Amino acid sequence: MPREEPAGKENHEPRAARLKAKPGYRPEVQGLRALAVLMVVTYHVWLGRVSGGVDIFLLISAFLLTLSFVRKVEKGTPLRLVNHWLHLFKRLIPAAVVVILGVLAGTWLVLPQSRWPDVLNEAWASLLYGQNWLLANTAVDYYAQDHSGASPLQHFWSLSIQGQVFILWPLVFAGSALVWRLVQRRRAVSYRTVLMVAFGGIFIASLVFSIDQTATNQAYAYFDTRTRLWEFALGSLLALVLPYVKPGKVLRVVLGWAGLAAMISCGLLLTVDRSFPGFVALWPTLAAAAIIVAGQSGSRFGVDRILSSKPLVALGDNSYALYLWHWPVLVLALAGSGISAPNLFQGLVIVACSVVLAVLTTRFVEKPLREWHWPQLRAWRTAVVIVACGALLAGPVALWQTKLTADEAAAAAQPRELTPGAAALAPENAGKPTPEATVIPAPAAMKNEWADIDGLCTGDNVPSDPLLNGCLQNSKPAKVTKRVVVLGDSHAQQYMAALGPIARDHGWEVVTLLKGNCRFGAESPERDADCNAFNKASAAYVMEHKPDAVFTVASLTHKEAPFETEVPAYLEGIKPFTDAGIDVVGVRDNPRFTINMPECVQKYGTDAPECNPPLGESLAAKSPLDAYRGKVKGLYLMDMSDFICAGGICPAVVGNVYVYKDDNHLTKTYVQSMIPMFEKRLLAATGWK
């Protein structure tokens, strides 16, 4: 992770000698940094969990930054913020650019094309220190056990937060210095006191905000800079009070070992998943603070004897580059080998490769630029280095994105007869070969393959129950001939790509009440409490608004046997509707797979057996819908599976169109190709006009 060293006149002595000569140099802090990065690497590679090591990095970076700026102000040295920022980012950006370029090369060699656009977007975000906000807005699951599908640049979130704080904190130091000089005219107040008030306020406000946001929106809070500021503030407060905290030798030994034990055990003893960065993050940060307070114990039994050892200090010198490299090496290795988690030997190889790359990056990139002798106009030349590094990355990224955009446009512009999609399975086309063409949608467009719903519910359609705040609807027709409510999860939403256009043609108003992974049915122990509550609220909405019809998915597919079953308590859930004279449409579910289907095609080809699993491993031999027939009057059943699976297989591509956007969701493009058949069967099943 980034090291903070004071900016100013360049010193050209060997770095080791220079640091040892510093009266304030603390080798145990460098060893603590090394131990923290080892925790991060170990937990990522073998345990797939959050260790608390990143939180320790954040505290250490603020601790060292504060020591540096307080020394400057108390000595009367000008802060020269612009020079400080240039000096800092001159050290950080080159190594980051080298790693990102390496990731781009690995992405081109290893990752499927559908993942390229996201990696390129994250390359920009990582370069500009905005990766954390990008991940927050896309709700990335940082706790996912399977890292093979993760972004190789995902770990830049913490570096982005640090970069933002490295810009913000000097402004706090400068502002506090100004306040201090103004206050000094009236009363004797130390600069440290002013800073303690400032950072104390930041600590309290950020921690309270972090606890609240972690409890209500943890996936976003994890990457939110505001929920992490208290960790930096704690490091700054530690630096400010440390001169006044002087524990005895015995207490230093106890503090050091207690802090080390708490630090290492954090991820093992605490259930940190879904709890960070709230109050639980006090555990690793206070543990690190205890080690820093212990400092040089003066005892041969002190933990500082270990942390100050040459191997750990040397690893601390390479900690920034090791953090940069370990995650992309892990992700690309898993993606290339097709495994979801490494064993002991595989993990050791990944760690060894990461260490080698880290040492090379530190030795030949970070260190030369840090120690380069700059002649006059140093600030200007430093800025040139930063801009040049940015341009070195920006050029390839921009060219690559331009190429992907052109490929996407060319694929979309193909004549429709070359990409018939589901129409290729229609009886009139049975046995006819599909012409050669580029499969659509282009990989770069796959992220746009969710079915469109026009917007939030308006007017009388707005639910009164806050559980249904996500209510969406298509634009209301000028003359409404039928009102339809869609209930269920994302598998109901995907059919909006067909139901939506059909509704517009027939003058139907369509409202959707959808919750991820929550198939509609009556209350059942097979659903979690949130899903049962949502379904209950959805049913109440239907009974209150009395639409003409309700659309649902009436079977439930699985990745393993049994591959398809009835929806739990489905008939019990819809019977109140039909009893009230409301039609219910139940469509058969589509298959789920253990692999990402479009990525399979991009890796192995359209005709590969892996991408064309047997029908018997995708759907039940006898449709679960048959069990519903004749049991509830007003229930109309639809089966579109013959336009998804055919000839005994469930292919990833039909009629030059990707059937799936991932391992279980139909693409919008493919569902749109089903519209004529879908409309015909819907009207035939219901008798609607």
Side-chain angles (χ1 to χ4, degrees), residues 344-380:
L344 178 60
F345 175 75
Q346 292 165 338
L348 288 174
V349 172
I350 290 171
V351 172
C353 291
S354 302
V355 170
V356 170
L357 289 170
V359 171
L360 292 175
T361 302
T362 302
R363 174 68 181 85
F364 296 107
V365 179
E366 184 185 353
K367 185 178 179 182
L369 286 171
R370 182 178 64 239
E371 298 181 349
W372 198 344
H373 174 65
W374 298 98
Q376 294 179 350
L377 300 176
R378 181 163 55 253
W380 177 81

Side-chain angles (χ1 to χ4, degrees), residues 100-416:
I100 296 172
L101 286 172
V103 168
L104 294 181
T107 296
W108 185 80
L109 290 170
V110 174
L111 297 186
Q113 297 174 37
S114 55
R115 292 175 61 182
W116 292 359
D118 287 340
V119 174
L120 293 172
N121 288 336
E122 290 186 25
W124 285 115
S126 299
L127 175 65
L128 300 174
Y129 290 88
Q131 174 75 312
N132 62 310
W133 296 115
L134 177 63
L135 296 180
N137 290 325
T138 52
V140 167
D141 185 1
Y142 198 67
Y143 297 99
Q145 295 291 318
D146 183 359
H147 295 320
S148 62
S151 163
L153 293 174
Q154 186 170 295
H155 66 313
F156 267 82
W157 71 267
S158 63
L159 303 177
S160 295
I161 291 178
Q162 282 188 300
Q164 294 160 28
V165 171
F166 284 160
I167 293 175
L168 174 62
W169 247 227
L171 296 176
V172 176
F173 293 127
S176 297
L178 179 60
V179 171
W180 172 53
R181 292 187 178 96
L182 292 174
V183 172
Q184 267 192 323
R185 297 175 183 176
R186 299 183 179 180
R187 62 180 69 183
V189 177
S190 70
Y191 179 55
R192 288 175 182 264
T193 300
V194 176
L195 281 179
M196 288 183 68
V197 171
F199 288 121
I202 293 173
F203 175 84
I204 294 172
S206 174
L207 181 57
V208 170
F209 180 74
S210 180
I211 293 171
D212 174 72
Q213 291 299 298
T214 301
T216 57
N217 190 8
Q218 189 275 333
Y220 190 95
Y222 192 89
F223 302 107
D224 191 335
T225 303
R226 298 167 297 178
T227 65
R228 298 282 183 172
L229 288 179
W230 69 266
E231 297 177 313
F232 292 94
L234 181 59
S236 293
L237 291 170
L238 178 63
L240 294 171
V241 303
L242 195 60
Y244 309 105
V245 180
K246 299 179 180 179
K249 180 184 292 188
V250 174
L251 185 54
R252 287 180 183 272
V253 172
V254 172
L255 277 174
W257 283 108
L260 183 65
M263 171 180 163
I264 294 175
S265 65
C266 174
L268 297 174
L269 298 181
L270 295 182
T271 307
V272 298
D273 287 14
R274 321 296 171 188
S275 301
F276 269 48
F279 67 89
V280 175
L282 284 166
W283 180 296
T285 51
L286 290 178
I291 294 173
I292 293 174
V293 169
Q296 294 290 323
S297 66
S299 169
R300 61 193 179 114
F301 300 109
V303 76
D304 56 292
R305 291 288 297 272
I306 297 174
L307 296 178
S308 301
S309 63
K310 288 184 178 180
L312 276 182
V313 172
L315 183 60
D317 289 341
N318 293 276
S319 60
Y320 175 46
L322 179 55
Y323 181 83
L324 284 173
W325 277 115
H326 86 280
W327 181 261
V329 170
L330 170 64
V331 170
L332 293 173
L334 295 181
S337 62
I339 60 177
S340 59
N343 58 30
L344 178 60
F345 175 75
Q346 292 165 338
L348 288 174
V349 172
I350 290 171
V351 172
C353 291
S354 302
V355 170
V356 170
L357 289 170
V359 171
L360 292 175
T361 302
T362 302
R363 174 68 181 85
F364 296 107
V365 179
E366 184 185 353
K367 185 178 179 182
L369 286 171
R370 182 178 64 239
E371 298 181 349
W372 198 344
H373 174 65
W374 298 98
Q376 294 179 350
L377 300 176
R378 181 163 55 253
W380 177 81
R381 294 176 184 270
T382 302
V384 169
V385 171
I386 295 173
V387 172
C389 288
L392 185 64
L393 176 62
V397 172
L399 288 174
W400 197 348
Q401 287 182 318
T402 300
K403 176 67 165 55
L404 291 180
T405 300
D407 291 345
E408 178 183 347
Q414 296 176 106
R416 189 54 58 198

Side-chain angles (χ1 to χ4, degrees), residues 474-553:
N474 275 4
S475 299
K476 188 174 182 178
K479 181 181 179 182
V480 177
T481 62
K482 193 180 294 292
R483 293 182 300 129
V484 180
V485 174
V486 179
L487 300 182
D489 52 17
S490 57
H491 280 219
Q493 177 183 339
Q494 64 191 0
Y495 280 111
M496 283 297 296
L499 184 60
I502 294 169
R504 281 191 288 271
D505 290 343
H506 290 267
W508 303 342
E509 181 182 37
V510 180
V511 171
T512 67
L513 301 174
L514 305 169
K515 179 179 176 62
N517 198 32
C518 184
R519 191 63 48 87
F520 180 77
E523 185 170 348
S524 168
E526 296 183 51
R527 298 187 183 87
D528 61 38
D530 287 345
C531 181
N532 278 324
F534 184 85
N535 283 342
K536 184 177 180 180
S538 299
Y541 178 95
V542 171
M543 297 305 294
E544 176 188 353
H545 288 77
K546 295 289 187 0
D548 298 289
V550 168
F551 181 89
T552 64
V553 177

Side-chain angles (χ1 to χ4, degrees), residues 50-73:
V50 171
S51 64
V54 168
D55 305 85
I56 295 170
F57 282 128
L58 305 185
L59 179 139
I60 292 175
S61 63
F63 173 79
L64 297 175
L65 186 66
T66 303
L67 290 178
S68 173
F69 271 89
V70 169
R71 281 197 298 265
K72 289 180 184 179
V73 173

